[in-house]
Amino acid sequence: MNKKLLSLLSGILMTSIALQANDLTLKYATPAANWNEATPIGNGHIGAMVFGDPTDELIRLNDNTLYSGEPATVWKGHDITPSYDKVVGMLLDGQYTEAYDLIQYHWLGRLHECYQPLGDILMSSNNTAAVTGYRRSLNLEDAVLTITYTQGGVHYKREIFASHPSDVIVMRLTADQPTIDIDVRLSTPHKPTTRFNTESHQLDMSGQAPGHAQRRSDGMIQGWKAEGRHPELYYADGTRKYKEDVLYSSQIDGMGTYFETRLHALTDGNIEVLPEQPLHKTSRGSNNPVGPALHISGTKEVTFILASESSFNGWQKSPSREGKDAKALVDATLQKAISTPYAELLKNHRSDYQSLFNRVSFEMPSTDAQKELFIPDRICAFAESYDPGLVAMMFQFGRYLMISCSRPGGQAMNLQGIWNERTIPSWNCGYTLNINAEMNYWPAESANLSECAEPFFDMISELAISGAKTARTMYGRPGWVAHHNTSIWRETHPNDGTPASSFWPMASAWLSDHLWEHYLYSGDKEFLATKAYPVMKGAAEFFSSWLVDCKTGAPESQGNWLVTPVSNSPENTFIIPGDGFLNPDGTPKPWVNGKPYKPKKSTISMGSTMDMSLIRELFGNVITAAGILDADNDSAFIAKITEQREQLLPYRIGARGQLQEWQQDFEENEPHHRHVSHLYGLYPGAQITPDVTPELLDACAQTLRLRGDEATGWSMGWKINLWARLLDGDHADIIVKSLFNPVGFGHGKGGGGIYPNMLDAHPPFQIDGNFGYTAGIIEMLMQSHEGYIDLLPALPSTWKEGSIKGIRSKGGFVIDMKWKDGRLTEASILSEQGGNCRLHTAQKATVKGSRAKTAQGENPNPMFRTEAVNAYEQIQKDGTYQLATTSTTARQGQTIDFPTQKGKRYTISFY
């Protein structure tokens, strides 16, 4: 065998071994042509989308404190109590559309403010030679983006990362000859307020975000008769003050958050300052003002360090009048970073990132041919050839995104995490509280990234303060309340728009559950006492006051069930009883004026299933937490909600065998609606389980069958978790396959899926689907909501073999396991808190290091508290409901208890 062939074979073998050892690199053969192809990086404060163009680089920047508006622009709310009785009376009389209209015009507020882009780094190469051998790759194991290519016979390399320890973005350019010749500029969309400056080796950009940004059109605002809610835009007579929808500084009393951005170049090459340009001319950044350039040439290496700070000083303080000194902050951050050698910056970044990322590993085998594909091709090939390794990579990509977006001391992830390029983004790029903000943090505990949820907990605490005012001024009630959406200014009133989404006063209950879940995973009693319980109790106080009798609307039950008096099921619409698309004989109703018949419909009723699920869960958690904390001072309130919890409207099974979405068995206007809010009790709640409520479990399965599998990206993320809770791994896997639908490239079938950069496509981009997916993968492999740890509860037949290490369960346990051909081969459990471990497996198992026994009764470990209900109502042929008790079933397999010591690992053997 000749040396050339031997060398070639050796190279192929080494490449194959490397691919097998590392399937956590997102590889691309071309630069990004648009935002949905760009690569996201972030450090929990600053985010960037890197396009990776060798000749005309664009890096879009974000600071997660940069929003339009100020506390002064927050809608001050209004008192709905004068019309409250009228609305409830309408609903009791079945006047659902009339109640809807009254709420539309008199109960809603105005839209919250918008998350803003910071600006761009623009880097142009003066080398006109052709580019060959281009590669762009993001290594999820160290969060470093690498771009390599050859131009004019010279090999070039860029390494880019966002450092959390140094709070900067670092970009290092190298060449194997001193031929680097580039122009670098900063740019921003905030034209009216931006100033540029150059210092030695440095570009400075200073500006101010908008004082107000309005996504609604004139037609919408006027149609809702809501001009008076927008004094920034309209005079008292309803005429416009300004034609612009984005208002800066002088247009709005100087309001807006200041920002200071610095880009420093470290090089031994030549540096020349070039003058400002009026605009950036490329289509990707057109119409943005551009500052002076640094022209760098004659070198083999240059390192850029970007730092940015804003004047944001908390949600209650004006950033323009009471803001932080952004200039002093950014100069201090930058000086420290440029004084640190590149190798140390990189080392510190890797150490910090890997301390979180390396807690969990997940491996499933793919073929070498699959691993060699670039990511867009690999996504496109998924539909034809199942790719287990890509399933695992997507799981870890979700963890990478969380580490990149959400760090202690920072802001919670919004609809796009930390990345946004528009001054008026889709849905304001805020926090949608009826699913999306919560879904962002579903995997935080189970995927072993608990610290990353701290900004979310902080946001919830802030909303509780703002929401207490809204509860008093809008409802005249105690406790706190929050509605459908918010921003960094912590708005808790309803948005404008329609009651279908905007009037939803249930966010405080859902948000409170995240605090309780953190306790169940961590056992942190101090957190429970000081942070969680006060917020949970405040939410319960509002709902205790909000509940009414479902027959009379009276504040106390008169022998009927307690329900919420004004309710919707986000964001679904029902058909008014007696109307519909069909005649009584089943024939379609005739078209009207050449259009299909439209039945009367509404979204507003009383006591939707989701409302009751959330309140039942909240009351139960508060009652249990009070017992853990010995909250004797709250005994009267605990007694009250204990009684109310027993009177809450139970789950109902409708005529189609489905879990009802509303108190009545309404017909859906859109049977395949993306929201499945009424299944909250199945997931993320734990009220409907295979062991305790099999009848309700079957009803949930029927609901999902009626809804269908196709959905938007985030909805597919939810459905993966739901099918996993139904113990149907193969059906969960159907949704997994659907989520790998290529959107905007390849031969995608339309609808939701993922973009080439693996970000979730609603569409457009929403990051929640990525986190819903990551949470769902864990639910397929491990569940702990039924009072025990269940290993491989919903393993799909396509996952022939694999291993996962480092995932966490309730009770404070960390689990490693391997499986092959549907059976566990190895497992170990690390006890972080000590206490009883209850374990269920389909196979018989023994525990090394502890004495196991067959589990009996309730788990004595309080961190495994269960929430399952024991009663439901079934609709009868005459339309009435009959109360029934759920039948308990015994899961096949083995359930054992064994005592554990804090910090000790236990090996599980199977036979």
Side-chain angles (χ1 to χ4, degrees), residues 193-204:
T193 62
T194 303
R195 304 174 308 280
F196 297 98
N197 188 36
T198 57
E199 298 181 12
S200 176
H201 289 232
Q202 184 170 305
L203 300 174
D204 296 353

Side-chain angles (χ1 to χ4, degrees), residues 122-135:
L122 309 170
M123 186 169 67
S124 301
S125 172
N126 297 307
N127 189 340
T128 59
V131 173
T132 60
Y134 178 90
R135 294 292 183 269

Side-chain angles (χ1 to χ4, degrees), residues 636-746:
F637 176 68
I638 297 302
K640 180 182 179 181
I641 63 172
T642 300
E643 182 179 357
Q644 287 180 313
R645 190 171 185 271
E646 294 303 313
Q647 295 174 317
L648 294 175
L649 178 74
Y651 287 103
R652 286 180 161 177
I653 298 177
R656 292 167 289 167
Q658 89 287 9
L659 191 75
Q660 283 186 194
E661 187 162 1
W662 297 275
Q663 182 182 169
Q664 295 83 5
D665 196 9
F666 291 143
E667 178 184 357
E668 302 95 336
N669 183 65
E670 186 184 345
H672 298 151
H673 196 270
R674 64 194 177 279
H675 281 261
V676 283
S677 306
H678 50 313
L679 301 187
Y680 177 93
L682 177 63
Y683 185 92
Q687 300 168 40
I688 299 174
T689 67
D691 291 358
V692 181
T693 59
E695 297 87 356
L696 292 174
L697 198 80
D698 291 343
C700 290
Q702 173 66 355
T703 295
L704 284 175
R705 285 190 287 268
L706 293 170
R707 268 296 200 265
D709 292 335
E710 293 189 9
T712 59
W714 65 260
S715 182
M716 286 190 275
W718 197 347
K719 288 178 180 178
I720 293 169
N721 287 276
L722 290 166
W723 280 110
R725 286 283 175 94
L726 291 168
L727 307 182
D728 192 338
D730 283 332
H731 206 131
D733 197 35
I734 290 173
I735 314 298
V736 168
K737 294 174 187 175
S738 296
L739 192 64
F740 279 95
N741 174 48
V743 175
F745 68 106

Side-chain angles (χ1 to χ4, degrees), residues 481-499:
V481 66
H483 292 80
H484 162 249
N485 232 307
T486 192
S487 78
I488 201 170
W489 308 118
R490 306 309 186 228
E491 300 92 337
T492 51
H493 58 268
N495 283 349
D496 57 12
T498 68

Side-chain angles (χ1 to χ4, degrees), residues 121 123 159 161 168-173 180 182-184 201 203 263-266 294 296 302-306 338 342 345:
I121 301 174
M123 186 169 67
E159 291 178 306
F161 59 90
V168 293
I169 291 176
V170 181
M171 176 168 59
R172 181 174 183 248
L173 281 61
I180 291 176
I182 56 173
D183 299 337
V184 182
H201 289 232
L203 300 174
L263 183 66
H264 192 94
L266 298 168
L294 294 180
I296 300 171
V302 57
T303 299
F304 293 101
I305 298 178
L306 180 131
I338 64 177
Y342 174 80
L345 288 172

Side-chain angles (χ1 to χ4, degrees), residues 882-902:
Q882 182 174 331
L883 188 66
T885 302
T886 59
S887 58
T888 302
T889 60
R891 184 84 62 87
Q892 290 186 347
Q894 181 188 55
T895 305
I896 57 175
D897 281 347
F898 59 95
T900 70
Q901 297 177 13
K902 184 176 180 178

